[in-house]
Amino acid sequence: MPARSVCEQLFCVGNVNQGNHFHTEVMVMCSAFVCHLQDSGRMLTIEDANMSCKKVPWSKRTEINAVCCVFVTNSLAVLMWKNKMKELVSNSTTSISQARKAVEQLKMEAYMDRIKVSKAAADLLAYCDAHIGEDPLIIPVPASENPFREKKLFCTIL
Amino acid sequence: HHDPTHFDGGLSNRQLFAVHQVAERVEALGQFVMKTRRTLKGHGNKVLCMDWCKDKRRIVSSSQDGKVIVWDSFTTNKEHAVTMPCTWVMACAYAPSGCAIACGGLDNKCSVYPLTFEKNENMAAKKKSVAMHTNYLSACSFTNSDMQILTASGDGTCALWDVESGQLLQSFHGHGADVLCLDLAPSETGNTFVSGGCDKKAMVWDMRSGQCVQSFETHDSDINSVRYYPSGDAFASGSDDATCRLYDLRADREVAIYSKESIIFGASSVDFSLSGRLLFAGYNDYTINVWDVLKGARVSILFGHENRVSTLRVSPDGTAFCSGSWDHTLRIWA
C-alpha cells in the first residue's frame, strides 16, 4: 500500500493545555513505520507515539502532509492529552477531592436495585419477538412499500 | 495485562452470563440481502456525522470540510447546504419538527440553523449559536422538542441547553476524558441519556439532576458510539477495541459482546434495527458488520465504502439505514 493512502486513513490532532493557551499539535510519524503497523494489523499505542512521533505546530500541517505521514486515532490523541495533563497537574488536594467524589458516586451506584441477567435477557428476547414481524430489515416489506428498494416494472407480490 | 498486539476475539473470562446463552432456543435468522440502494455524493471531504429527519426521508450530514448538507434520500437531491466557519463538523442532528438542524465541531460550539424553503435561502445568516464548550463538539441531539439540545464534548462534559436563549440548563461531569457520543433514551422510558468517552466508560445520566446514575467500564479502548436498544432497557456501544457490547440497564452489567478474531479495527458507529434483533456497526476497516443481537453472531458483512465508516443510523421507520464514510459519500442500505 502506498504511504499516501495510509496517511489518509490516519490523522491526529492533539490538544494540549499549557497554562491558558491551547496548542494544537500534529503527531507525525515516519511513513515507513506507519506502513509497518498497517501490515502487522495492530492498533497504534501510546508507546508507538513516544517512540517515533514528533510534534509540530498545527500551522505547519500542510507542509507536513506533503512530506511525511499524518496519522489519526482518537485514542492516541487523548492518550497524549492525558499524559500531558498528568505532568501539569500534580496537586495532591485535587486528587483527594476527586477520590472523595468517586467514592460518593460509587456508594450511590452500589445501592441500585439490580435484576438477574437471566430475567433481563429474557425481557430483551421478548421485546425482539414481539416486534420482529414489523422490522422491515428482517421481514422485508414488498418492494412497492419500501421506498428504497428498486421498483421493477413488473413485480409480483408473493 | 492487556497486550495490544494480541486480539483474543473477545473470548474473555469476564463474560459469566450472556444473552446468547438465554437465546439458544431462538430461531436463527435467514440469509440477508442488503445492498446499497442510494449513494449520496456531494461532500468534498470525509463525512463525519449524519442524522435522519423524523419524516423518514430527509438526512442531514456533516463533513471535515465544514459543509453541512440536507438530502432527500429518496431522490438523492440536496435540499439545503451550509458551510460552517470551522472544519471537522463532527456532530449534526435534525430537529424533531424537521424545521431545523444543529451542528458543530472544532468551533467548540453547537449552532442551530432553521431550514426554510425560500428561493434564495441564506442559511448562514439565520444561524444561532446555542452551546459553548471548551473543546470540540463530538455529538449533539435534540431532546423531544426543538427547544432543547444535548451536547457532548472533548472537554469531558455533556450539557443540556435551551435553544431559544442559549442558556445552559444542566451540565454532566464525570467522564475522565473526551466524551465522544451520546444517545437519548426512547421517550417512553424517561429523562435519561447515555454517553461514551475516551475514558472507556459508558455513563447513564439523569437529565434533571445532572447525576450519573450508572456507569459501565468493560471496553478496552475509546467508546465511539452508544445507542439505546428500542425498549430502552439496554444500550449498545462500539469501540476502538474492535468490539461492540450490549449493556443491560436493569441488570447493571454487560450482557453481550460482539467480536471476532478477524475484526481488528475499531467500530465507529452502531445502531439497532427496529425490533432490536439486528445491530449494525460501521468499522474503520471500511466494512459494516451486521450482528444478531440475541445470538451474538455476525449475520452479514457489507462492503461498499472505500474508507472508514464514520457514522451509521437506521431510519425512523426501520426500512433502511444510512452510513457515512471518510470516502466522502453516504450510502443508504436496505
Side-chain angles (χ1 to χ4, degrees), chain A residues 11 41 43 105 114 123 135, chain B residues 88 212 250 252 264 273 275:
Chain A
F11 160 71
M43 293 194 247
Q105 179 66 25
R114 290 173 189 83
D123 288 350
D135 191 333
Chain B
W88 288 88
C212 167
R250 296 177 307 152
D252 191 36
I264 57 171
S273 71
S275 62

Side-chain angles (χ1 to χ4, degrees), chain A residues 9 11 15 41-43 75 78 105 108-109 112 114-115 117 120 123-124 128 135 137 147-150, chain B residues 5 32 37-38 88 135 198 212 222 229 240 248-250 252-253 264 273 275 286 308 318 326 334:
Chain A
Q9 293 170 46
F11 160 71
N15 283 315
R42 66 179 180 84
M43 293 194 247
S75 51
V78 176
Q105 179 66 25
M108 203 191 68
E109 290 181 24
M112 195 201 144
R114 290 173 189 83
I115 67 170
V117 173
D123 288 350
L124 293 175
C128 261
D135 191 333
L137 289 169
F148 294 108
R149 296 242 161 144
E150 282 144 286
Chain B
T5 60
F32 278 94
R37 305 290 174 172
R38 304 280 190 282
W88 288 88
N135 209 329
C198 292
C212 167
D222 303 5
Y229 189 77
D240 274 351
D248 189 284
L249 293 169
R250 296 177 307 152
D252 191 36
R253 55 176 289 171
I264 57 171
S273 71
S275 62
Y286 314 176
R308 60 166 80 176
W326 281 19

Side-chain angles (χ1 to χ4, degrees), chain B residues 147-309:
Chain B
M147 295 288 92
Q148 290 180 353
I149 283 190
L150 196 54
T151 57
S153 168
D155 65 12
T157 71
C158 297
L160 181 67
W161 310 81
D162 177 86
V163 173
E164 193 61 48
S165 61
Q167 197 195 347
L168 174 67
L169 299 171
Q170 185 62 261
S171 67
F172 306 89
H173 296 260
H175 276 286
D178 303 23
V179 188
L180 298 179
C181 50
L182 61 82
D183 191 35
L184 272 138
S187 36
E188 311 85 55
T189 47
N191 291 336
T192 58
F193 73 94
V194 60
S195 63
C198 292
D199 57 357
K200 312 176 198 170
K201 287 207 278 207
M203 301 177 83
V204 182
W205 308 86
D206 179 321
M207 275 168 69
R208 275 168 294 201
S209 66
Q211 278 275 43
C212 167
V213 293
Q214 282 172 273
S215 70
F216 304 87
E217 197 171 350
T218 61
H219 272 292
D220 295 320
S221 187
D222 303 5
I223 296 178
N224 297 314
S225 177
V226 286
R227 195 72 66 208
Y228 270 92
Y229 189 77
S231 69
D233 287 334
F235 69 90
S237 59
S239 162
D240 274 351
D241 67 5
T243 70
C244 297
R245 294 171 201 242
L246 186 69
Y247 298 91
D248 189 284
L249 293 169
R250 296 177 307 152
D252 191 36
R253 55 176 289 171
E254 178 190 300
V255 292
I257 179 168
Y258 307 100
S259 65
K260 273 179 104 67
E261 260 187 52
S262 54
I263 300 174
I264 57 171
F265 282 81
S268 63
S269 193
V270 299
D271 203 357
F272 286 100
S273 71
L274 207 69
S275 62
R277 182 66 193 266
L278 297 177
L279 181 71
F280 301 100
Y283 289 76
N284 293 341
D285 63 1
Y286 314 176
T287 66
I288 294 168
N289 287 304
V290 186
W291 299 92
D292 181 334
V293 171
L294 302 181
K295 294 213 170 274
R298 179 173 66 186
V299 294
S300 191
I301 177 169
L302 304 174
F303 299 96
H305 278 298
E306 291 162 18
N307 207 320
R308 60 166 80 176
V309 179

